[in-house]
Amino acid sequence: MFILVVIAVFYRKNETRRHKLSRAALIYCFAYLGLTFINKVQADSLVEESLAKNNIPVTNYMTNPTMLNNVLWYGVGSNDSTVFIGEFSLLHKQNPITWHSYPRSQHLMQQCKSKKDVEVLRWFSDPYTIAQTNGDTLNMYAAKFGRTNMQENELQKSIVFHYKLYQNNGKEMMGMLEANEKNMNFKESLNDLWERICGRRY
């Protein structure tokens, strides 16, 4: 759509070709949104079926497409104790979804002194928030956006939205950690994305 709009800009306002390009961009946009809606219904159905088949007890779940496409999707489910994440390609529905589970450790969030900061983060990502401790630092992950690096299971290497609450001269501070280098290797991520869309990795 963006390419069609950019090309149309170089034609005069009253030129027929400009109107055709603009119309084509709008048609493409609505067609893509319509296809995404259809794929969303399929994705929800596949996730519900997989959760039931694997006896995964969730009270909440959601589905979203991965970056730059609407063919490879991910599902995120949760209950009071655990978050489950799995990816799947709509081109290869026969491939079973592999679910990765992570303990939510909500008690760590409740014990934190920075109640306001924790509440903001939980408002942003609950019920898909995961907590871990490293010494005096509380690490919190917003798992609702899925795994950026799907070859890694370790949270720090697979979840981009990673926040930490830490002590600094007796005061508790909050910050967002810079994305791990495993999450910033776009060439590797795109190759992995393509392999999973084609059903060669799942």
Side-chain angles (χ1 to χ4, degrees):
M1 185 183 72
F2 178 73
I3 292 171
L4 290 171
V5 170
V6 169
I7 294 173
V9 167
F10 290 96
Y11 290 95
R12 293 178 181 177
K13 288 183 178 181
N14 296 324
E15 276 208 43
T16 305
R17 195 170 292 180
R18 176 169 178 159
H19 292 299
K20 287 183 177 179
L21 287 167
S22 301
R23 195 177 299 116
L26 285 174
I27 291 171
Y28 173 82
C29 181
F30 283 112
Y32 189 87
L33 287 174
L35 178 61
T36 302
F37 176 78
I38 294 170
N39 287 350
K40 171 71 172 174
V41 173
Q42 294 185 70
D44 284 349
S45 177
L46 288 171
V47 165
E48 288 175 4
E49 182 181 335
S50 179
L51 290 171
K53 186 176 181 180
N54 289 282
N55 295 315
I56 297 176
V58 300
T59 53
N60 299 278
Y61 82 89
M62 60 178 287
T63 59
N64 268 325
T66 56
M67 62 179 179
L68 303 177
N69 75 102
N70 67 12
V71 176
L72 183 68
W73 288 64
Y74 67 88
V76 184
S78 74
N79 54 39
D80 288 340
S81 62
T82 311
V83 169
F84 305 89
I85 306 176
E87 298 86 22
F88 54 97
S89 172
L90 294 178
L91 295 180
H92 300 273
K93 300 174 188 176
Q94 73 279 7
N95 290 345
I97 302 174
T98 300
W99 293 99
H100 305 270
S101 61
Y102 304 94
R104 291 184 66 189
S105 303
Q106 293 192 77
H107 65 282
L108 297 176
M109 307 177 208
Q110 294 165 357
Q111 294 170 1
C112 184
K113 295 178 182 178
S114 301
K115 301 292 184 185
K116 186 176 180 180
D117 291 332
V118 169
E119 286 305 313
V120 169
L121 290 176
R122 296 188 71 173
W123 167 82
F124 175 64
S125 61
D126 261 359
Y128 310 106
T129 311
I130 302 171
Q132 290 181 341
T133 54
N134 182 12
D136 291 334
T137 301
L138 175 66
N139 294 300
M140 295 180 66
Y141 301 88
K144 69 188 295 183
F145 301 101
R147 301 186 309 152
T148 304
N149 188 325
M150 290 172 280
Q151 297 187 59
E152 294 284 349
N153 288 327
E154 188 180 333
L155 285 169
Q156 190 173 347
K157 296 178 181 178
S158 60
I159 305 291
V160 168
F161 290 94
H162 174 194
Y163 302 86
K164 66 174 184 175
L165 295 166
Y166 57 96
Q167 297 284 336
N168 185 12
N169 296 325
K171 294 182 179 180
E172 287 205 338
M173 309 288 289
M174 181 183 75
M176 183 176 180
L177 283 189
E178 185 177 340
N180 188 280
E181 62 178 4
K182 288 284 185 179
N183 283 315
M184 294 303 291
N185 190 331
F186 291 111
K187 182 179 179 180
E188 182 180 313
S189 296
L190 288 173
N191 286 338
D192 185 43
L193 192 72
W194 178 250
E195 291 291 319
R196 288 174 187 271
I197 288 173
C198 294
R200 292 192 281 267
R201 292 181 188 170
Y202 58 93

